[in-house]
Amino acid sequence: MSTDILTEPLFIIVVALLVIIIISFLIYYIKHRNEVTENEKIFKNKEATLIENYEKTQENERMAHKKELSNLNEKYLEDTTLLNNKLSSLQQFTVDKGEYLTDLALLNFKNKLVTEERIRESDMYILSNIYLPSRNFTNTRKIDHLVLTRTGIYLIDSKYWSGHILHGVTDEQFDEIPYLEGIFQLLNLDSQKEQTLIFEKENDEKVSVNYYNDTIKETETTAEKLRNVLKLQFDVVPIIYFNPKDNGGHTIMNYSTNGNTKVIVGTEQLEDYFNKHVFQGRFQYTVKDLDEIAESLMRLNP
């Protein structure tokens, strides 16, 4: 009985201490929980502010970049337009009077054929001032005129000359034309190769002599390169066209033994030649083929 009396107050004390400890812990927990909640609130506010500032900065940078890009695009378009205009002017400048007149004659001839309903508009393309690019810039070739038809593709090297033309002459003509040998020696020409000589009267006392070496060879080489570049099934027909200046007096004596290259003088012969080959030739290409060839050439000449 005495033991129970002693332990009862001790038990009460222990219980009281535990209650005090629990109450203190709860007070401490509640107090610090409020601080944690407050800190979390402050952190979230700071986080939201940082995110807002970041997004605002990013949006400003995006708008600035967009504006800069727009300005660059606008400048690019302006520069490109200016360059295209310069290139267009340059291309027009590089077309001399002879090429222009030949182009005009070909276009008039095509319009005549279309008007007379002998061909459709899509049956013939007239292209001028075409370039065949090369990895070696110096090997880039210029084509004066191209005529694309269903019966063949014709490459025309236009010569705007006047006077008297001796085409394809070699030493075989020395006996027939005695003065040729002296001219060959004076101009240091190879008498074994075909040459083209043009005699033009400048005034009553002076006659000029011009010569064009390897005219046929260069024209044929360009025609062959065009076929290879476009991967054509058929040969391109090379033509040397002598376009008389201002329709003035002219003569031509053609001694060339080369049957691959056609030699034509004046618009009448030009029309006669195409009348014969456009309407009597065998079809080699479809209208779709001509469209694709023309598009390929345009891609080479943007």
Side-chain angles (χ1 to χ4, degrees), residues 57-69:
T57 301
Q58 289 295 105
E59 179 65 16
N60 291 337
E61 291 179 355
R62 188 184 70 82
M63 293 302 296
H65 176 72
K66 183 177 180 180
K67 183 177 180 181
E68 181 182 3
L69 185 62

Side-chain angles (χ1 to χ4, degrees), residues 140-243:
T140 296
R141 291 180 176 269
K142 175 178 176 293
I143 299 174
D144 293 344
H145 308 278
L146 272 178
V147 181
L148 313 181
T149 73
R150 297 185 65 187
T151 55
I153 296 178
Y154 305 89
L155 182 152
I156 301 178
D157 186 2
S158 180
K159 308 297 182 184
Y160 189 52
W161 292 336
S162 65
H164 304 286
I165 301 170
L166 297 180
H167 180 64
V169 290
T170 64
D171 55 6
E172 294 185 4
Q173 283 72 52
F174 286 176
D175 290 338
E176 179 184 347
I177 311 174
Y179 62 83
L180 274 184
E181 184 173 4
I183 292 177
F184 268 66
Q185 292 176 356
L186 179 64
L187 299 177
N188 195 26
L189 300 178
D190 186 350
S191 62
Q192 301 297 314
K193 293 183 179 181
E194 292 189 351
Q195 309 289 343
T196 300
L197 302 175
I198 302 93
F199 298 84
E200 185 174 6
K201 182 178 179 180
E202 295 187 4
N203 52 51
D204 292 337
E205 300 178 353
K206 186 177 180 180
V207 174
S208 63
V209 180
N210 299 310
Y211 67 95
Y212 293 83
N213 295 336
D214 300 323
T215 299
I216 291 179
K217 180 180 178 181
E218 286 297 314
T219 305
E220 290 180 349
T221 299
T222 303
E224 182 64 23
K225 180 175 182 180
L226 177 63
R227 180 183 179 180
N228 292 335
V229 169
L230 298 181
K231 296 180 174 57
L232 300 175
Q233 182 179 358
F234 302 96
D235 288 336
V236 175
V237 179
I239 297 174
I240 297 177
Y241 175 57
F242 295 98
N243 185 8

